[in-house]
Amino acid sequence: MRPGRTWAGSHTFGAERLARPRSVAEVQDLLATTERVRALGSRHSFTDIADTAGTLVSLDDLPREVLVDETARTVSVSAGTTYGQLAATLEEKGWALGAMASLPHIAVAGAVSTGTHGSGDGSRTLSAAVATLDVVGPDGTLRTLRRGEPDFAGSVVGLGALGVVTRLELDVEPSYLVSQTAYTGLTWTTLEEHFDDVTALGHSVSVFTSFDERELRQLWVKARADAPPVEAVIGTLPATRTLHMLDGAPEDAVTPQGGVPGPWLDRLPHFRTDVTPSRGAELQSEYLVPRDRALEALAGLRRTADAFRDLLQVCEIRTVAADDLWLSGAYGRDTVGLHFTWDLAIDEVREALAPMEEVLLPLGGRPHWGKVFRAGAAELAPLYPRFADFRTLRDRVDPDRRFGNGFLERTLGD
Ligand SMILES: Cc1cc2nc3c(=O)[nH]c(=O)nc-3n(C[C@H](O)[C@H](O)[C@H](O)COP(=O)(O)OP(=O)(O)OC[C@H]3O[C@@H](n4cnc5c(N)ncnc54)[C@H](O)[C@@H]3O)c2cc1C
């Protein structure tokens, strides 16, 4: 089978072939007998991160499993399952996830491997919900890693560098209701003076801007029905119609707004499961800055916005709670994600990212692993306290670099 392209068409895979094993045993056989191999999720990353010179392994044909352990409050899920599929089954059984990304279309193992996150002062990355990981190593051996065990915190955000994940257990909680309200009228002054109040407005809060100096474009608040009512934000008004965060994009692509409570899975993601999320023809970048440097980062971006504004479809500002996963963007610190949806123009975007990284990397901004960035191993190493430990773990698990590719050579240094 031909390996094809990323979801956005931003990268054409150079792999020799695409394999679709039907069982974990077939994954083990494949890995034991294949020289160069990498796992492929739902292709929603924007770069060559998943690519290989050898065989790409899709887990789409593995039997789907979604099994809730009500006592442990975990769900066992097969790696290729999408969050949309997982969420629908959880909701049927009366259970929920604590966080979701902006889109439900992504595969669980792919999202977890890149530190994917949603928004919320108390919401950690999707990776931080992982309690157990089944991974097939380069010799075909299947290992189960559990939270608290020595290699676990290094392996969850693993970038596909440590093996093929076949099954995960994730933390779950009883199902809950969420209402979503979009507001307009938020100004930069209000955001800067009341940043903590704004991001605390709900379970999940997103601010959208195109770096227009007059006002921020939109504020979206997703509030749990079991939490106190949302306070009004100075100067803002609830939108009187459904808003898409992108100019001219169809409003029926986003999850219901208007403050009407509904199941968590129909409100936490921005985009509905049954439609194309975002724009489609686009690139994305994101930098995860320490929360206590976020206002400096925003001031720096406003100063340098002329260098990137013309390529920008929208920027989303969101928060992520700290975790302990070595390569997580939120490792060891509460974090603010500064996300950029760009026109699909790779050379121009890479050029625009140069001055942006000059502002954000010195503030501790860690690039999202699944999106477009320029920094290489020399710039990334100081941003992650456990970077050297991850390299050591990789040397032990995959000394022959059977899971190696160009992306890992650039970002990990070999
Ligand atoms: C429209 C859109 C919206 C997005 N919104 C968000 C958002 O809200 N928040 C956010 O953080 N990110 C967001 N992203 C980025 C996206 O979540 C990440 O790029 C994520 O990795 C995509 O998962 P995937 O399954 O498509 O992974 P892929 O792109 O297929 O693969 C990514 C990496 O995971 C590895 N991998 C995949 N499966 C396995 C496996 N079974 N075992 C081991 N490694 C594996 C691959 O080898 C590769 O290194 C968005 C992307 C798009 C296109």
Side-chain angles (χ1 to χ4, degrees), residues 15 43 45 106 121 174 185 211 228 247 300 333 351 390 395 401 403:
R43 303 168 181 263
S45 295
I106 47 179
D121 289 357
F211 286 91
D247 276 341
R333 68 197 195 185
E351 198 175 318
F390 184 81
D395 285 345
R401 301 291 187 258
F403 300 119

Side-chain angles (χ1 to χ4, degrees), residues 38-39 41-45 102 110 114 116-117 159 165 318 368:
R38 278 188 69 79
S42 57
R43 303 168 181 263
H44 284 84
S45 295
S102 70
T114 55
T116 292
H117 59 91
L159 314 180
V165 175
R318 46 188 172 174
H368 190 306

Side-chain angles (χ1 to χ4, degrees), residues 107-124:
V108 173
V112 158
S113 298
T114 55
T116 292
H117 59 91
S119 184
D121 289 357
S123 290
R124 300 189 302 162

